[in-house]
Amino acid sequence: MSQKFRLLYVEDNEVDQELFKASLEMEALDELVELEIAESIEEAQEQALSQQFELILSDWNLPDGNAMDLASYLGKNNVIPSYIFLSALFTSEQKNASSRVFPSIINRKRQ
C-alpha cells in the first residue's frame, strides 16, 4: 500500500473531532488518511514543526488564537502545507487577517 495522506485537524471541540473521524471511517478514507488532531494553536504548531503534513484543516477560532496565528507562525518557520480553514461565521475582520497571510488567494477576483 502507498503512503497515507498526512492530515492535521486542529479542532478544540471533541464532538467535532469524533464526527470528523467517523466521517473518514464511513467513507473508508481512514485507509488513505493518517489523521493527527491538535486541540490548540500551540499543539498544532508543535506537531507541524515536528511532522510533515500535506494538509492542515483548522477551525478558525481556538482557545489560544486563530487559524491565521497558526499559518503565520508556520510560514515564519518555513512550514508551508496546504490549508483549509473552517468557521461557522467568516467576518470581514477574518477576511482581512487572511489577506495579510494569503494575499494572492484572498484578494483574487472571481472571473
Side-chain angles (χ1 to χ4, degrees):
M1 182 174 174
S2 64
Q3 190 171 359
K4 289 186 173 187
F5 182 86
R6 302 221 356 103
L7 170 64
L8 176 59
Y9 181 40
V10 187
E11 174 59 67
D12 61 320
N13 183 298
E14 194 172 312
V15 172
D16 288 344
Q17 293 172 11
E18 292 303 317
L19 285 170
F20 187 73
K21 285 192 263 185
S23 296
L24 289 176
E25 291 169 6
M26 267 182 21
E27 299 299 325
L29 294 174
D30 58 327
E31 298 292 322
L32 305 173
V33 175
E34 185 174 334
L35 178 66
E36 296 289 334
I37 295 176
E39 295 184 356
S40 67
I41 296 296
E42 182 179 6
E43 190 178 337
Q45 290 169 342
E46 290 171 6
Q47 288 189 39
L49 290 177
S50 65
Q51 303 174 58
Q52 185 173 346
F53 295 97
E54 283 77 31
L55 177 66
I56 295 178
L57 176 63
S58 179
D59 185 16
W60 185 273
N61 293 304
L62 291 140
D64 61 341
N66 65 48
M68 284 295 93
D69 298 329
L70 174 61
S72 180
Y73 176 85
L74 294 180
K76 289 176 185 173
N77 287 280
N78 296 316
V79 177
I80 319 267
S82 295
Y83 292 96
I84 296 176
F85 300 130
L86 307 171
S87 181
L89 175 66
F90 197 69
T91 66
S92 58
E93 182 179 308
Q94 291 168 324
K95 181 180 178 188
N96 291 336
S98 299
S99 68
R100 287 191 295 276
V101 176
F102 300 107
S104 63
I105 297 170
I106 300 299
N107 294 326
R108 187 178 352 177
K109 293 186 179 189
R110 295 180 187 240
Q111 299 179 359

